[in-house]
Amino acid sequence: MTFPPVTLVEVSPRDGLQNEPEILSTGQKVELIERALAAGLRRIEAVSFVNPRRVPQMADAEAVMKAVPRRPGVTYSGLALNVRGAQRAVDAGVDEINYVVVSTDSYNQANQGCPSDETLRGWGQVATLARDAGLRATLTVAASFGCPFEGEVDVDRVVHIARQAAAEGADEIILADSIGVASPADVLQRVDAVQQALPDAALRCHFHNTRNTGIANVLAAMQAGVRVFDASIGGIGGCPFAPGATGNIPTEDVAYMLERMRCAGSVSAAALADAAQWLAQTLGRPVPGMLSRAGLFPRPAAAACA
C-alpha cells in the first residue's frame, strides 16, 4: 500500500512543553523551533495564549513569537481558548489560530472554565477575527475519542462540533485523542463519520501515545485519507487539566515510520532524533520517544562499524 506525502505539525513548543514541570526559557523554546525547522518541518504550533497563572510554561508567548525565525513556507500557529486569547494571537503575529472545543462539558469546564457549548459559541467570533486579519483558523475537537471525566464520547457529539466548525469556515478540523484512549477501529469510525457529514472538510488528527496506540492510530487515519498529523519531538506533553493525559506521539518516531513507507516528504527522522536528544538534555531527563534511543535502521555506515 502506498500513500501520498504526509504533513506533520510540530506541537512540542506548545502542547509538548505545557505539561512538563520544567519551564524553558524563551531562547530554549526558539532553539527547539529552529531544530524542528532544520529537520524539515514547516508547520509549527509555537505558543498558546492562555492564562499564564494556569499554564506558566506558556507565559512568554508574545516573546516567543517575536523571536521565531520567519522563513518562506513556514507557518506558526497559536492556540486560543477564547476570543481574548485569539486577539492576543493576532497581535502577536501568528499565521494561524487554533481554537479548542472539548467534546464534553466536564473536560471543557476543567480546561476552559465553562461548558463546551459556550466555548463553541465563541468560535464564530474567533473565525471572523482570524479572517479579518488574513489568518487561517482551525478548530480542534478535544477528547474526540474519550473523556477523562465522562468516559466514552458519542460520535454524534464529535460530528456536531465538526459541523459547527465547518459552518464558520474552519480551514481545518482536528480530531484530538487528548488522553490517548483511541484504537485504530475508533479512528476509522470517527474519521469516517466526520467525512460522511463533511466530505469537503480538511481533516487533521492529534493523537497521544498514553496507552501506546498513537502510531497505530496514525496509520489507521492515513488509511482513512487523513494526511496531516500533530506530533511532538521526544513525545513530550499532554494536557495539565486532564488526569493521565501524558505523551504526544513522538515526531521522530512517526517520521521514521513515514520514511520507511516512503511518504515522509522532506522531513528527516535523523535530524528529529537529534532534536529529541537535545530536548532530553535540556529537560534533564529521558524523553518518551524511541527513535532517539534505538537509532535509525539501517544504521549509518560509521555507526555500523563502531
Side-chain angles (χ1 to χ4, degrees):
M1 182 179 292
T2 59
F3 295 94
V6 166
T7 298
L8 297 180
V9 180
E10 180 55 45
V11 302
S12 61
R14 197 283 299 176
D15 195 35
L17 294 178
Q18 74 171 9
N19 202 40
E20 300 303 310
E22 300 83 5
I23 298 180
L24 268 58
S25 69
T26 299
Q28 289 170 320
K29 293 175 182 177
V30 173
E31 182 169 355
L32 176 60
I33 290 168
E34 289 173 337
R35 287 175 178 270
L37 296 176
L41 296 163
R42 292 296 177 264
R43 291 184 68 182
I44 312 288
E45 189 178 59
V47 289
S48 66
F49 297 91
V50 295
N51 188 331
R53 291 189 298 274
R54 298 197 74 202
V55 190
Q57 296 90 337
M58 297 289 106
D60 59 345
E62 282 82 1
V64 170
M65 286 306 307
K66 187 175 181 180
V68 294
R70 299 288 185 169
R71 300 175 187 171
V74 172
T75 60
Y76 296 107
S77 65
L79 177 138
L81 302 181
N82 50 42
V83 178
R84 182 173 61 255
Q87 184 62 61
R88 285 179 60 198
V90 171
D91 295 341
V94 303
D95 302 299
E96 181 178 290
I97 298 172
N98 181 26
Y99 190 72
V100 177
V101 178
V102 186
S103 65
T104 64
D105 285 336
S106 299
Y107 191 173
N108 205 84
Q109 188 74 44
N111 198 55
Q112 284 146 265
C114 62
S116 56
D117 280 345
E118 183 175 330
T119 299
L120 187 56
R121 284 194 293 272
W123 161 242
Q125 294 175 263
V126 170
T128 299
L129 182 67
R131 280 195 297 270
D132 289 348
L135 308 179
R136 282 168 50 89
T138 65
L139 186 141
T140 292
V141 187
S144 286
F145 299 87
C147 172
F149 306 105
E150 299 182 26
E152 300 289 352
V153 171
D154 193 316
V155 67
D156 290 341
R157 176 61 178 167
V158 175
V159 171
H160 168 72
I161 297 173
R163 285 185 188 277
Q164 295 297 110
E168 295 291 347
D171 291 290
E172 207 169 44
I173 298 168
I174 302 100
L175 302 184
D177 184 16
S178 309
I179 58 172
V181 295
S183 73
D186 299 323
V187 173
L188 291 171
Q189 178 208 33
R190 286 167 195 253
V191 169
D192 179 68
V194 175
Q195 288 173 333
Q196 291 293 329
L198 302 164
D200 296 325
L203 295 186
R204 175 170 132 206
C205 284
H206 176 107
F207 296 121
H208 283 226
N209 204 40
T210 312
R211 292 164 178 82
N212 208 33
T213 58
I215 294 180
N217 290 336
V218 170
L219 181 57
M222 289 172 62
Q223 291 171 330
V226 179
R227 296 290 175 261
V228 187
F229 297 91
D230 291 353
S232 173
I233 289 172
I236 64 168
C239 178
F241 307 112
T246 57
N248 286 279
I249 53 173
T251 315
E252 64 277 12
D253 294 6
V254 178
Y256 172 79
M257 179 183 78
L258 297 176
E259 282 187 0
R260 297 285 293 179
M261 296 171 66
R262 295 177 173 80
C263 57
S266 60
V267 175
S268 167
L272 288 167
D274 289 343
Q277 290 177 338
W278 171 85
L279 183 57
Q281 293 170 356
T282 302
L283 294 173
R285 55 182 168 73
V287 293
M290 301 299 294
L291 186 69
S292 61
R293 289 178 276 171
L296 296 170
F297 177 84
R299 291 185 179 276
C305 296

